[in-house]
Amino acid sequence: MNKKIILFSSVIVIMLVLIFAFLSCKDKNTYTIKGQLEGGENKFLVLMDLKGENPKVVDTIFLSSKGKFSKKESLKEKSLFILQADKSFITICPEKKEKIRIEGKFEDFASNYKIKGSKESEDLQLLAQRRIKFNNDFIEFQKQYNQASGKEKQYLFREYAMRSKQAFKEEKQFLSKYINDNKGKLSTIIALYTELLGEPLFSIQEDEQIYKIVLEGLEKTLPNNPNTLKIKNILTSSKQSKEK
């Protein structure tokens, strides 16, 4: 009888150890995203993965009656994600085991959020803020231009053309430096694809070298990652087009 009890107890212990090991392993391949959004009461966020040709919905994150949310997400391989609140969205790049906290407003989410707990996601916020500021400055200029008289409009147009040209140049320099300083990070892809007023700053035709810098960095850190392979395919296609 005692032998049966000992045997049964041993089996239980082994099972508990295996279950604990499984849960521990599973937990290592996750990250947590939580926070609170003003105006987000009883609404939801949509999480989408950007690694494919088109964004793929990963999860729907529901907000409480106070706009709070908390969700543990699986992360089999590193990627770029969109977190969308209605028509506005942000981009995040989580690492395994990170605990990401987001605060802000549900309306115009991208312009009113703060993020902590994910270094690369914080970098992406910085890049987004610069782009949003430039676009907001242009909207403000449009208001001034629409309210101006004929002569004032000529002056404002010349003034804005000069300022926007300089701003495009400065942003391109800033992003080139970011890419060179952060080789191997997926956030360099977002820097590479940055648009101001709907116009891309880098083109494969004129800026092939910066594409190569992004790819060389990612091939060292994430060689088989779908995001890396997309950049590789773009460069391959560009090379084939030149050879025709």
Side-chain angles (χ1 to χ4, degrees):
M1 184 69 178
N2 289 335
K3 288 183 180 180
K4 289 183 178 180
I5 293 174
I6 293 171
L7 179 61
F8 180 74
S9 299
S10 299
V11 170
I12 294 297
V13 170
I14 291 171
M15 288 178 65
L16 289 173
V17 169
L18 290 173
I19 291 170
F20 179 77
F22 172 77
L23 292 174
S24 298
C25 182
K26 187 177 180 181
D27 195 56
K28 288 179 181 178
N29 295 323
T30 63
Y31 67 96
T32 302
I33 183 167
K34 64 185 299 184
Q36 184 172 16
L37 298 181
E38 182 183 330
E41 295 81 2
N42 299 313
K43 295 180 181 177
F44 62 89
L45 300 169
V46 179
L47 183 68
M48 291 179 279
D49 194 339
L50 290 174
K51 67 184 175 187
E53 290 301 318
N54 297 301
K56 180 181 178 182
V57 175
V58 175
D59 201 357
T60 300
I61 303 173
F62 292 95
L63 281 63
S64 73
S65 58
K66 294 183 179 180
K68 293 183 177 182
F69 61 94
S70 180
K71 197 70 181 290
K72 184 172 286 188
E73 298 288 346
S74 62
L75 188 65
K76 294 179 180 178
E77 61 180 345
K78 191 170 181 181
S79 189
L80 293 161
F81 295 87
I82 281 176
L83 188 62
Q84 185 165 348
D86 196 17
K87 297 178 182 179
S88 185
F89 67 88
I90 66 171
T91 309
I92 62 173
C93 188
E95 295 274 5
K96 292 177 181 179
K97 297 197 292 184
E98 280 187 339
K99 295 181 179 179
I100 304 172
R101 183 160 189 87
I102 298 174
E103 305 285 346
K105 298 180 180 179
F106 189 87
E107 186 176 353
D108 197 11
F109 184 32
S111 299
N112 298 290
Y113 83 101
K114 295 179 181 178
I115 188 166
K116 292 182 179 180
S118 174
K119 178 63 175 64
E120 208 160 347
S121 299
E122 291 170 27
D123 284 354
L124 289 171
Q125 182 192 22
L126 170 64
L127 299 181
Q129 284 178 332
R130 293 178 65 91
R131 183 181 68 253
I132 289 169
K133 183 181 184 306
F134 183 94
N135 291 337
N136 286 343
D137 287 347
F138 178 76
I139 292 171
E140 186 60 35
F141 163 78
Q142 279 188 315
K143 290 179 182 178
Q144 294 178 21
Y145 184 81
N146 292 336
Q147 295 170 0
S149 63
K151 289 184 178 180
E152 288 176 325
K153 282 186 176 180
Q154 291 180 9
Y155 167 76
L156 284 172
F157 185 81
R158 289 195 299 268
E159 178 72 12
Y160 182 76
M162 181 182 67
R163 288 186 181 182
S164 61
K165 184 178 180 180
Q166 181 63 27
F168 266 79
K169 180 181 177 181
E170 290 175 357
E171 191 64 12
K172 198 167 183 177
Q173 290 174 342
F174 173 84
L175 293 172
S176 295
K177 185 177 186 304
Y178 179 85
I179 288 169
N180 276 284
D181 291 347
N182 293 274
K183 294 175 184 176
K185 292 184 178 181
L186 285 178
S187 55
T188 57
I189 294 178
I190 299 299
L192 183 66
Y193 288 161
T194 295
E195 294 184 354
L196 295 181
L197 304 178
E199 182 178 336
L201 286 178
F202 300 103
S203 70
I204 188 63
Q205 292 79 19
E206 298 178 4
D207 306 288
E208 185 179 65
Q209 185 55 36
I210 201 74
Y211 275 78
K212 288 181 178 179
I213 291 172
V214 171
L215 179 61
E216 288 168 2
L218 290 172
E219 284 188 322
K220 291 179 181 177
T221 58
L222 300 163
N224 300 313
N225 190 281
N227 294 284
T228 303
L229 298 178
K230 280 199 291 187
I231 299 296
K232 187 174 183 178
N233 290 337
I234 289 172
L235 281 164
T236 300
S237 297
S238 177
K239 183 180 178 181
Q240 290 173 346
S241 296
K242 290 178 181 179
E243 292 173 349
K244 288 181 180 180

